Amino acid sequence: GAVVSQHPSRVICKSGTSVKIECRSLDFQATTMFWYRQFPKQSLMLMATSNEGSKATYEQGVEKDKFLINHASLTLSTLTVTSAHPEDSSFYICSARGDSGGGAREAFFGQGTRLTVV
Amino acid sequence: GENVEQHPSTLSVQEGDSAVIKCTYSDSASNYFPWYKQELGKRPQLIIDIRSNVGEKKDQRIAVTLNKTAKHFSLHITETQPEDSAVYFCAASMIIQGAQKLVFGQGTRLTINP
């Protein structure tokens, strides 16, 4: 399968600071990238969908000013958690999907980033 | 809204026995159904998928069946081994707000007892 690299894998930050997470597709062009949040022992909750060169689409209940998403190129999307607070501590995972020209295609996941806000 | 229901939430089987996980989905237009395996602290890994023009797909010890009429699909693992222990997620591809997205089930924690 295709390779998606997410960085950093772990980050600890102080409350009130911002954290940027990168998601790169290494061997394919990702027209669409998805950002998920996963709480312990729970499922993947979609936060937002980003398409290269356009604004991200956020899911209901996700604050777009707090979780800034930039999909600047076909291989890179970033998620910035602004003014992080302890309740933002979670496991964040990106996934990337190429353009099939029709029909659903599989999405490949990054390694995930465990964010701890202290 | 669009959702995927997954059962059971936990499953414990003896090594060598079979395990079955079931999912139902709400959007009849869904046409792609992947299954992911996630080990603790790691990324979800695609293990098998099925498209709506197929009723069953098999890959060695893993098989997936799809019943479009009933809107449910199942994962079958035969001859289970300790390394099959993980959390398994089903997903369905749905059009939400004009975009194709994967909606995940709640997950099943599978434990294989030696």
Side-chain angles (χ1 to χ4, degrees), chain A residues 104-106, chain B residues 31-35 46-67 72-78:
Chain A
R105 293 199 68 175
E106 63 182 289
Chain B
N31 59 1
Y32 175 64
F33 308 90
W35 284 88
L46 179 73
I47 55 171
I48 196 168
D49 56 14
I50 192 167
R51 298 183 188 277
S52 59
N53 58 344
V54 176
E56 183 174 357
K57 183 177 179 180
K58 189 173 181 180
D59 182 5
Q60 299 183 337
R61 297 187 297 110
I62 296 173
V64 57
T65 58
L66 170 65
N67 183 328
H72 67 68
F73 56 113
S74 301
L75 177 71
H76 303 252
I77 306 174
T78 59

Side-chain angles (χ1 to χ4, degrees), chain B residues 4-31:
Chain B
V4 176
E5 296 288 330
Q6 182 173 347
H7 298 281
S9 57
T10 60
L11 180 60
S12 183
V13 302
Q14 288 297 121
E15 182 178 355
D17 289 349
S18 296
V20 180
I21 302 171
K22 299 182 179 181
C23 288
T24 60
Y25 59 98
S26 58
D27 187 355
S28 58
S30 295
N31 59 1

